[in-house]
Amino acid sequence: MEGAEPQRRALRLDVISGEPSGGHGNMALNGAEVDDFSWEPPTEAETKVLQARRERQDRISRLMGDYLLRGYRMLGETCADCGTILLQDKQRKIYCVACQELDSDVDKDNPALNAQAALSQAREHQLASASEVPLGSRPAPQPPVPRPEHCEGAAAGLKAAQGPPPPAVPPNADVMACTQTALLQKLTWASAELGASTSLETSIQLCGLIRACAEALRSLQQLQH
Amino acid sequence: MAGAGSVKAALPVTEALEAIVSCCVGPEGRQVLCTKPTGEVLLSRNGGRLLEALHLEHPIARMIVDCVSSHLKKTGDGAKTFIIYLCRLLRGLHAIAEREKDSLMCENIQTYGRHWKNCCQWKFISQALLTFQTQVLDGIMDQYLSRHFLSIFSSAKERTLCRSSLMLLLEAYFCGRVGRNNHKFISQLMCDYFFKCMTCKSGIDVFELVDDCFVELNVGVTGFPVSDSRIIAGLVLQKDFSMYCPADGDIRMVIVTETIQPLFSTSGSEFILNSEAQFQTSQFWIIEKTKAIMKHLRSQNVKLLLSSVRQPDLVIYYAGVNGISVVECLSSEEISLIQRIIGLSPFVPPHAFSQCEISNTAPVKFCKPLILRSRRYVHLGLISTCTFIPHCIVLCGPVQGLIEQHEDALHGAFKMLRQLFKDLDLNYVTQTNDQNDTASLFICKNSGESSQVPDAGNGSLQKPYPDTVAENKDELEKTQTYLKAYSNLAISDVELETYTPYSTPKLTPADTFRTDEMLRCLSLEENRLIGDYEALLKSSSTAYSIRGNSRIEICYENLQVTNITGKGGLLPVSCKLQNMGASQSYLSSSVPAGCVLPVGGNFEILLHYYLLNYAKKCHQSEETMVSMIIANALLGIPKVLYKSKTGKDSFPHMYIRAVHALQTNQPIVSSQTGLESVTGKCQLLTSVLQCLTKILTIDLVIPVKRHPQKVHSQDSEDEL
């Protein structure tokens, strides 16, 4: 390594001075020590990474092209986080295509960040437990209306074995009341926010939240009866 | 922004632009809807218009759009192709840089030093690109591609243009620019216009005139379907008569650029009035003077007065009294067009009361008002003194946007034709080892036109020197490029009295230009051409002397001047001046006027193939790298054009078939029947490479808060 260093530096000076290095076989980018033999084709993992990067870049270009056609302005600056060129809309708001559109594809599914995702997860659990209810009632030849506590208990047991407890199927009334209060609280908060909101997107999301809360409340009430 | 290499900064910009233009390229391309920053909506397939409508503040983006605009101003074709080439070239360079970067051991290199090293690397690459373009690329086109060229002219010796081949060319041009329902009609319209405006002795100057003055030669009328567009003989002025007196018989006209009525005083003099009586006398004098001038005009049979300024009411009144029609406030472009057509200079009203002959009048066939959808125009029938027969296109369309689209497309087509009918100079350097290669000198150039090929910079010869041109001027004139325009279809609704019909109709070749047919004709002519060439070599006795190491003085004696264009152009060479250097020879050749190739990416695939061959033979690795990059970039166009095709017509199949045909020396069968101009493609490639070298020489981009301007020749944001 040490021996190669001074040689490389000397050759680098050659490039900077602008003398045509026609004698060297290669591009003379960094001297003669990088010849074609030291370049190996990328491995499969690297190819996948390259492919993913190219696809991401293609998506970014397409989105940027779309926005440019809609009248957005292409600025001369790049985003500090990801390095993509920034766009500016007619309201003079700066917009980064990669950060705000592409990368949030992943965040969309994270329940911690998105209320929609949280509700959909809850609904999935609810569906899963609803399918458990008939399962739980089969082994016990019960009167036509099985007692809720019995099968629910079985269901709860199964659920506990699987994973997090389903919040929409409470085994007793306390939890039900708790959930109902929480839902009502959320409803109140959402309606207050809706009244105060000025952006279209936020309003739409809040309406979705309210609808989901109302549905949850309805299913809760159905369970209670 | 500081610290980013130029390719890294330019690549995302170009990719975004490419994403926009790639969906409207080619005959399968779609229209693009663009919202301008002002809120207007533009629906277009015209690449140049789209790029200019985008709101781009990024300096590299603005630079690219500037390059595209200046290329379009010259050639009228290729904006979208430009962006696609540029994008792929940048990607190729980026890939190379990434590859080298990975194998660099960079722990000890500081960021600044690394950045500087990057810049030197790009400068080196840009130098290599420029050298390749000026020294090698033209050579490949001349030596290898020229055998595939077809000629749009239907006869070898005289440049006879027939309607069907022109239609093939124009249809291919318009189907990428105009909506699918209109492009056949517009091609037909343009073809008709072309044949109506040309006489049998018309030359390139007609194209220049039409190209320069196209705005004045067309009128747009909204509210009618496109199929109502037609061609009108004569000139249509975009103004109405201020005073119209119907006249027939011998009509003469006069152009004035100032008011006829004399003023009280002229600039630089003082006019002193002492009493009202003096004021009255002066006014009376003015009235009498005006009356006299108008009467004098009338006596010379002048019945039309064209004025570029507003004439006072008195003049209009006396014109009416004397039966002279007046048109005022004409634009300077219209006046200069009229002057070009009829060669008339403006009339200056005499100061004194002399009854001299007015020499600046010109005869006019007719002048009458023309009403197009409730707007009145002046319809003038001019007697042309040049080779252009004035006709006007009336473009109809349901909305103004569509009319503008068609107008742009037609204007671009004229620019394209103007470039097509000129020879394109090719200059390159070859490595020759034999000293006995003296024979291939001689023959004078086909035409004196010069194109915009850049200087090689190291003394290569491009144009004949002034002293040789002067000596052989008469011989050059014999070979002055001229076109014989002729139409083999009956024209029903047009006045034919101004058009000289051809007495001997010529047989035109089949409508589909398959290269194998061409080659068959070629093999017969080939022997004749080679025979001519050899005869030339033997019979001419030329002497040449070498002064210094880069000038050649050639005397032409007993030189037989031949117009070798030929179908397929095996020997398209019209002038090869060879320098007897030791191991390098500077060759100068040309692509003759009228060279075309079938559409569908043929040019790109041919050049790609020959560049790859060259890269294999080449010893220097810079040249190999550059030719590989350019070869790969060229494939971008056929890929986009064949994107929508599947099965046997898809791009991989087409590519393999073409390469196989080239390797086995068979003719390439093209599935499409259109033609495209070779000159346009060569010029496009040159422009792209020059834009790329400009980008590569940018080291640093410094953002400056400034409103984007349309014209920015001194941009403080680029630092070399």
Side-chain angles (χ1 to χ4, degrees), chain B residues 158-189:
Chain B
E158 304 154 346
R159 303 227 172 149
T160 327
L161 189 64
C162 79
R163 197 189 175 93
S164 50
S165 37
L166 187 64
M167 275 299 284
L168 283 176
L169 182 74
L170 290 176
E171 267 179 16
Y173 181 84
F174 283 119
C175 78
R177 265 161 200 83
V178 168
R180 225 167 288 188
N181 44 348
N182 286 327
H183 86 258
K184 266 206 157 51
F185 176 76
I186 296 283
S187 336
Q188 203 105 37
L189 188 72

Side-chain angles (χ1 to χ4, degrees), chain B residues 245-251 301 303 364-367:
Chain B
C245 306
D248 48 4
D250 176 31
I251 310 175
N301 235 349
K303 301 218 180 110
V364 157
K365 274 190 281 194
F366 59 83
C367 77

